[in-house]
Amino acid sequence: MTLQRDDFEYAGLNSRDDLQVEMGNVVLPSAPAMAEQVTDIPAMYGNQFNGTDFTSRTINIPVSIYCADNQDSFNQIMHNLSGLLLSDDPSDNGKEYPLVFGFDPKVTYWGHITAISDPTPINPGMYDMTLTITFVQSDPRATLPQVEKSLNNGLNTITVEGTARTEPVIQVIPKRPLKYIGFNLNGGQFGLGPESPEDQATAVQPYTKVVDDPLGTMAMWTNDPNAISNMKTGETYTYQGHSAIKAETNVMRPGLTNNGYDFGPIPTTGEDRWYGPAYRYTGMTQSLTDWRVRTGIHQFKYSGAHNGRAMGRVEVLLLDPNGNTIGRFGIRDMAYGAKPMARLQICEPGSTLEYGDRYTDLYYGSGPAGSFTNKPDQKIKIKTGTTTRTVTKYGRSRRGKVTKKTIKQTVDTYTTVVNKEEDSALSGAWLMLDITKRGQVFTWSITQYSTRTGRPFLDPHIHMLVHGTYVDTQNKYQTPLGGIGSVFLKHPITEDVHKIAYRNPFMSMTDLEIWKVNKVDATQPTYIAGAGEEIVMDCETDTVTVNGKLVSPVWSTDFPKLKPGVNSLSMIGDLDDAQITLKYLPRIL
């Protein structure tokens, strides 16, 4: 929506259309609040100046509400104003939102509302009012639209708009394995991997890739009953239906039919049973004693009285050479629309993954507590059919006497179900698993990615970012890795029995990479990334990730910043044919 000159937009809310107010004359402050830091030194003439703190910046936004003599309309606008601008949800604490003014739409101010003043009448006795919304920026800089620029290996000249320094984010996708990578910027250095030429010369690859399948075809997958018969998973289930590739996004999902996803018919062996397609990967040509697997799953539940109750389950199974399950990574919906659960397990071949049957949970939970919101439970009536009942109707005869008549009446019958429709980080999560087995040691991480940007989230309080280490001291889980299974299941709900239409959750498997873990001396330098792996050097969050996984050590004089005007940025590493992209937000003081 194009902003009018006298409009503003806060957190996606338009002042005129959503808040129903008219903006007055906004006078932007000339500078943020400043605090001089000095030290009094006895017997010194004057004092010692230690610098100036630039703290928050406050913008006061005068607005008017025009309701003439309509008090009800004024009250409703005030309730809407407070409800939309303020929140009593603890999970919203610490969040800041963008503010854009129509008179300068290219500039974005990030901050939060700290006050809404009491209304002052424009005309006595009427409900035309003025008030002031106080907006505070904890970081007093404003931003211009994001700049994205391709870089070359070696020297690059970058001209930056704005009046303040800003943090670069550099994304690199190399065409060959990398021993080291970095950049020089305005005298600062930042990089990853061994710095010295001697260490670089002796660096070895910790992994050898044996599978790199972007899931663009089903050619390497089979659902032959003999191939999938040993693929065990928990609870009662039936493998049926078929999976397919969604070509636009290169993901595997349940196939489509005229009635929606192909999970197959509801099994006649009982309602309390999961059912849907299962496939086994046939592209591994060797079994691996020590291995690393990276893969992703995505599950999205639709909102609504019946959609929220739908139950889906997506899993990637780790298999031995005979197709027996030796590990499981998945997301599953819980009954009645309760918040979904994620799990990562390793097990002995032949385990059914039922309670206590030779497995270990590396992770089993519903994600970060800060992401959970709980709506009031809904009670939903579902028509189950009709029945005939006998009723007695009373009346009066012409002589005034009471009469009664017994008749049969057809009435509808109903059952009542519950929809919790709870929401959490896992309600629409795209999770990437990275798990490595090296001898008796399993190391793993589960990282939630944004489906909008394709980049990992970085706040563990509101998104799934967990990792851990498990030592198999009893050698229970030393069976070699020989394959991968993909499973998409749904569970019948009352709506299936009574033919109530609803949307099943969207489920998919995204990407599959498998490496052989090489034996490397602990003191020997190693390659930092393989060909095609995404490296993100983020000076905004002071982190480096390889395929979304945080890595260290990082060598740096500091996390360098771009300055307004001309900058010299030199890329370092074996990057001649790499895809290198610089992203940054020009900033204004």
Side-chain angles (χ1 to χ4, degrees), residues 138-155:
S138 56
D139 180 341
R141 299 172 298 173
T143 62
L144 295 171
Q146 178 176 289
V147 174
E148 188 168 322
K149 177 181 175 62
S150 295
L151 299 179
N152 302 314
N153 192 21
L155 179 63

Side-chain angles (χ1 to χ4, degrees), residues 265-491:
I266 298 177
T268 57
T269 50
E271 255 186 58
D272 191 17
R273 174 181 292 266
W274 295 89
Y275 61 97
Y279 281 71
R280 180 176 170 184
Y281 187 68
T282 61
M284 282 190 69
T285 58
Q286 58 180 306
S287 58
L288 305 174
T289 301
D290 290 331
W291 45 265
R292 176 187 172 196
V293 174
R294 186 175 186 271
T295 189
I297 53 177
H298 178 209
Q299 182 156 322
F300 178 82
K301 181 189 286 289
Y302 297 96
S303 182
H306 301 291
N307 300 335
R309 289 172 32 79
M311 295 176 65
R313 178 173 151 193
V314 53
E315 295 176 348
V316 175
L317 305 180
L318 307 181
L319 308 176
D320 72 4
N322 296 318
N324 296 297
T325 301
I326 59 172
R328 174 169 66 161
F329 170 52
I331 304 174
R332 63 155 290 171
D333 288 315
M334 308 302 285
Y336 312 114
K339 55 187 176 182
M341 305 289 285
R343 54 191 167 193
L344 173 62
Q345 301 164 315
I346 51 177
C347 65
E348 298 178 47
S351 168
T352 62
L353 293 168
E354 291 299 324
Y355 182 75
D357 186 20
R358 298 169 293 158
Y359 70 87
T360 293
D361 285 326
L362 301 183
Y363 178 84
Y364 184 52
S366 54
S371 70
F372 176 59
T373 57
N374 187 12
K375 299 178 182 178
D377 291 355
Q378 295 177 301
K379 291 187 176 180
I380 303 165
K381 290 178 66 176
I382 292 179
K383 183 179 176 180
T384 58
T386 59
T387 187
T388 302
R389 65 180 184 181
T390 301
V391 297
T392 300
K393 287 195 171 184
Y394 293 90
R396 288 189 179 275
S397 67
R398 291 181 179 179
R399 297 180 180 181
K401 292 184 178 181
V402 174
T403 63
K404 61 180 180 179
K405 184 179 180 182
T406 300
I407 63 172
K408 290 188 176 181
Q409 187 179 57
T410 300
V411 296
D412 294 332
T413 58
Y414 295 89
T415 186
T416 301
V417 296
V418 173
N419 175 29
K420 292 180 177 292
E421 202 163 26
E422 296 175 351
D423 189 55
S424 72
L426 298 182
S427 298
W430 177 21
L431 303 183
M432 295 298 298
L433 168 69
D434 196 331
I435 181 170
T436 300
K437 177 191 175 295
R438 191 187 299 271
Q440 293 178 305
V441 180
F442 291 80
T443 56
W444 59 273
S445 67
I446 302 174
T447 303
Q448 185 173 354
Y449 273 64
S450 167
T451 55
R452 183 176 60 86
T453 66
R455 292 182 58 190
F457 291 112
L458 297 174
D459 188 344
H461 300 292
I462 56 176
H463 295 109
M464 186 82 164
L465 294 166
V466 292
H467 59 87
T469 299
Y470 174 80
V471 181
D472 181 19
T473 56
Q474 298 181 14
N475 291 321
K476 294 191 296 183
Y477 309 119
Q478 296 301 306
T479 306
L481 177 72
I484 297 292
S486 171
V487 176
F488 303 106
L489 304 175
K490 73 157 287 182
H491 196 284

Side-chain angles (χ1 to χ4, degrees), residues 114-188:
T114 61
I116 302 174
S117 70
D118 290 337
T120 301
I122 298 173
N123 301 311
M126 305 295 284
Y127 288 94
D128 298 334
M129 303 281 182
T130 62
L131 53 88
T132 300
I133 299 171
T134 303
F135 174 84
V136 175
Q137 293 178 267
S138 56
D139 180 341
R141 299 172 298 173
T143 62
L144 295 171
Q146 178 176 289
V147 174
E148 188 168 322
K149 177 181 175 62
S150 295
L151 299 179
N152 302 314
N153 192 21
L155 179 63
N156 298 266
T157 300
I158 313 296
T159 302
V160 176
E161 291 186 77
T163 59
R165 296 186 304 159
T166 189
E167 301 83 2
V169 177
I170 297 179
Q171 177 197 51
V172 180
I173 302 178
K175 292 294 180 65
R176 57 181 61 85
L178 284 183
K179 298 178 181 180
Y180 69 102
I181 188 175
F183 64 90
N184 294 322
L185 173 61
N186 296 328

Side-chain angles (χ1 to χ4, degrees), residues 59 86 345 470 515 561:
I59 301 176
L86 307 178
Q345 301 164 315
Y470 174 80
W515 294 263
K561 291 182 171 58

